[in-house]
Amino acid sequence: MARPRKPEAERRTRTIGVRVTTAEAAEIAERAGAARMTKGGYMRRRALGQPVREAAVHRLGARERVELHRIGVNLNQIARALNSGVSAPPGTLEAIERVGELAADLLSGEALDR
């Protein structure tokens, strides 16, 4: 099934040309790629003052992805237990905070082994 057509006011039909140097074009392409966006989408968001965030998760290697998946599985198990009425054992909140710190380390690119 095809995607529904946007209303006329929401269609992007206008083009704005911008001249850039080779170095600028390369930097725009690199930044757009890091944000997992097209160059046009990246430039439009930047020009309109909308936030553009680098997609950090996509830069993770296989080992980091496995570790991040394990963290997610553990958090899901904790959430499921707490939502089913099981009382949290002592130290659960501290463990959750530590898991958050480890996940932040993974996403920031710090070493896995501490």
Side-chain angles (χ1 to χ4, degrees):
M1 182 162 87
R3 181 172 51 172
R5 292 182 63 101
K6 290 184 176 184
E8 188 67 35
E10 293 181 22
R11 292 184 196 157
R12 293 189 176 111
T13 59
R14 307 289 298 190
T15 301
I16 298 174
V18 178
R19 291 186 185 272
V20 296
T21 66
T22 302
E24 290 169 334
E27 186 170 344
I28 290 169
E30 183 180 329
R31 290 182 182 196
R36 308 268 303 163
M37 300 176 74
T38 64
K39 290 180 281 189
Y42 173 82
M43 292 176 60
R44 181 174 41 256
R45 289 185 67 91
R46 291 297 305 246
L48 297 174
Q50 298 172 346
V52 176
R53 295 195 180 113
E54 192 172 316
V57 174
H58 298 288
R59 293 181 296 144
L60 298 177
R63 180 176 176 212
E64 289 87 1
R65 287 178 191 251
V66 168
E67 291 300 319
L68 194 56
H69 176 73
R70 288 178 180 163
I71 289 169
V73 168
N74 288 337
L75 284 176
N76 188 43
Q77 290 172 348
I78 292 167
R80 181 175 294 157
L82 294 175
N83 286 330
S84 68
V86 175
S87 62
T92 300
L93 293 179
E94 291 81 6
I96 292 172
E97 287 175 4
R98 179 68 181 134
V99 166
E101 291 169 5
L102 292 171
D105 288 350
L106 280 174
L107 294 175
S108 70
E110 292 184 22
L112 292 175
D113 300 327
R114 287 189 155 207

